[in-house]
Amino acid sequence: MTMRSRARNERSIGPPSWTQRLLSVWNLGSIKIVKRVIVSVVGATVLLIGIALLVLPGPTFIVIPVGLAILATEYAWARRWLKRARRIATNVVSGHDRAAPRESGV
């Protein structure tokens, strides 16, 4: 028996470490659910504050994308909306407007 395998066997015979005990109490699935709930609550709150800022004074065009970015860590629909918001913001900043008629070369 090598030194490494002997140490491994002695470690497994002794009491479990605090991390092993913690992981045995909380399984990985419940941690993912708790994370998703926390991200959902925080992201939805920030998004709703941003929507309220549409009629209230405040930085609505900063808060709404932040809320979408938080939600995008867990949800695909939020990723799509965030991409759309980025595209619209890029068009506004660059001066491109979809509703404006294009100049013809005539």
Side-chain angles (χ1 to χ4, degrees), residues 78-90 98:
R79 279 189 288 276
R80 287 191 302 268
W81 282 26
L82 184 60
K83 286 180 184 177
R84 185 177 299 155
R86 284 181 185 163
R87 193 175 329 120
I88 291 170
T90 302
R98 290 185 183 183

Side-chain angles (χ1 to χ4, degrees), residues 42-60:
V42 171
T45 303
V46 172
L47 186 62
L48 288 175
I49 289 170
I51 292 170
L53 288 175
L54 286 170
V55 294
L56 300 171
T60 196

Side-chain angles (χ1 to χ4, degrees), residues 60-94:
T60 196
F61 297 110
I62 296 173
V63 177
I64 289 177
V66 169
L68 285 173
I70 293 170
L71 290 171
T73 61
E74 291 292 324
Y75 298 105
W77 62 265
R79 279 189 288 276
R80 287 191 302 268
W81 282 26
L82 184 60
K83 286 180 184 177
R84 185 177 299 155
R86 284 181 185 163
R87 193 175 329 120
I88 291 170
T90 302
N91 289 341
V92 167
V93 169
S94 67

Side-chain angles (χ1 to χ4, degrees), residues 31-55:
I31 291 173
K32 288 181 180 180
I33 292 171
V34 169
K35 178 187 172 231
R36 188 169 192 154
V37 167
I38 290 171
V39 167
S40 299
V41 169
V42 171
T45 303
V46 172
L47 186 62
L48 288 175
I49 289 170
I51 292 170
L53 288 175
L54 286 170
V55 294

Side-chain angles (χ1 to χ4, degrees), residues 10-22:
E10 289 174 5
R11 198 174 345 151
S12 64
I13 293 173
S17 69
W18 67 272
T19 55
Q20 290 173 342
R21 282 184 279 153
L22 182 65

